[in-house]
Amino acid sequence: MVPIRQDAWSKDEDVLLAEVVLRHIREASTQLAAFEEVGKKLSRTPAACGFRWNSLIRKQYEPAITLAKKQRKEQKKSQTEYSLELACEDQSLDLIDEAIDLLIKSKSYFSEVAKNEASLQETLAENLQLKQHLHQLEKEYMTVQEDYQSLLEIMEKARKMVIFQEGDQGSMRFQMDANGNLEKVKK
């Protein structure tokens, strides 16, 4: 009978070592971290776990190691794709937010332009009315001016007639004809 060493590794310990190391490979962690984790669970040093892995267990699990590395690569790829998707979503959301802000500002701007245009149209209409009213007032002023001038001329004619003919004052009188002219009429 061969005596069993006190520090000998059992089959279960070898399986635990392999499982933890393979998990760390899949999760893109270091083998040193795996050795530390197994060492705590089995009350062994990380160096002892590393030696056992590299000297014996690793050779038995070559296909599993290859698979774990492949899974790690796929996981990294999927995480990268997911990160890219999130970045694209964030970027898309930022672009959408910027577009919404631009549309809101544009709507506000065009609304203000429409208000200004309506105000301009009202001002132009009011200006036209004021011009028409001014034209009417100018016509009325010209008529009043002409009437005033005619009145002054009539008054001047009357004054001259009175001055020159003071002697005939009793036999003469003045009357306005149809055209608005003052004429002498004998009594």
Side-chain angles (χ1 to χ4, degrees):
M1 191 171 195
V2 179
I4 297 177
R5 289 183 51 179
Q6 199 175 29
D7 62 346
W9 285 76
S10 70
K11 204 66 158 148
D12 291 338
E13 289 175 330
D14 287 343
V15 170
L16 177 66
L17 176 61
E19 285 176 354
V20 171
V21 171
L22 290 172
R23 179 171 46 84
H24 277 263
I25 291 172
R26 276 192 302 276
E27 293 174 355
S29 180
T30 63
Q31 288 183 6
L32 183 58
F35 300 151
E36 288 174 359
E37 182 181 329
V38 172
K40 287 179 185 175
K41 289 181 180 180
L42 299 178
S43 298
R44 294 183 183 264
T45 65
C49 295
F51 182 79
R52 181 72 175 177
W53 171 257
N54 288 318
S55 66
L56 183 67
I57 309 297
R58 168 178 236 147
K59 295 170 191 151
Q60 297 171 7
Y61 285 90
E62 283 298 326
I65 292 171
T66 304
L67 180 63
K69 287 179 179 180
K70 185 178 177 183
Q71 288 172 338
R72 177 183 64 202
K73 191 175 183 180
E74 288 173 2
Q75 184 179 12
K76 269 189 176 181
K77 182 180 176 184
S78 111
Q79 284 177 344
T80 302
E81 288 173 357
Y82 180 71
S83 295
L84 284 174
E85 285 176 15
L86 286 178
C88 287
E89 284 177 15
D90 287 346
Q91 210 170 32
S92 295
L93 290 175
D94 288 344
L95 288 174
I96 289 170
D97 287 344
E98 287 177 19
I100 289 170
D101 287 343
L102 180 62
L103 289 172
I104 288 170
K105 288 176 183 175
S106 296
K107 180 181 178 185
S108 175
Y109 171 77
F110 286 117
S111 175
E112 194 65 31
V113 166
K115 285 179 188 175
N116 288 342
E117 187 174 332
S119 177
L120 177 63
Q121 292 300 326
E122 289 174 10
T123 303
L124 289 174
E126 184 180 350
N127 187 19
L128 181 61
Q129 288 176 343
L130 289 173
K131 280 183 179 181
Q132 290 172 347
H133 186 65
L134 176 63
H135 183 67
Q136 182 65 31
L137 289 175
E138 285 174 344
K139 285 170 84 177
E140 289 175 7
Y141 173 76
M142 291 303 293
T143 303
V144 168
Q145 189 70 15
E146 288 172 2
D147 289 347
Y148 177 72
Q149 194 62 39
S150 295
L151 181 61
L152 285 178
E153 288 174 7
I154 291 169
M155 296 297 289
E156 183 61 25
K157 282 182 184 180
R159 187 185 66 77
K160 285 181 182 178
M161 289 175 93
V162 168
I163 292 175
F164 290 119
Q165 298 181 349
E166 281 184 344
D168 286 340
Q169 205 173 20
S171 64
M172 295 296 255
R173 83 177 175 97
F174 294 95
Q175 163 180 329
M176 187 143 340
D177 68 6
N179 293 330
N181 295 321
L182 196 61
E183 58 184 19
K184 282 187 210 178
V185 179
K186 289 193 177 190
K187 288 189 180 181

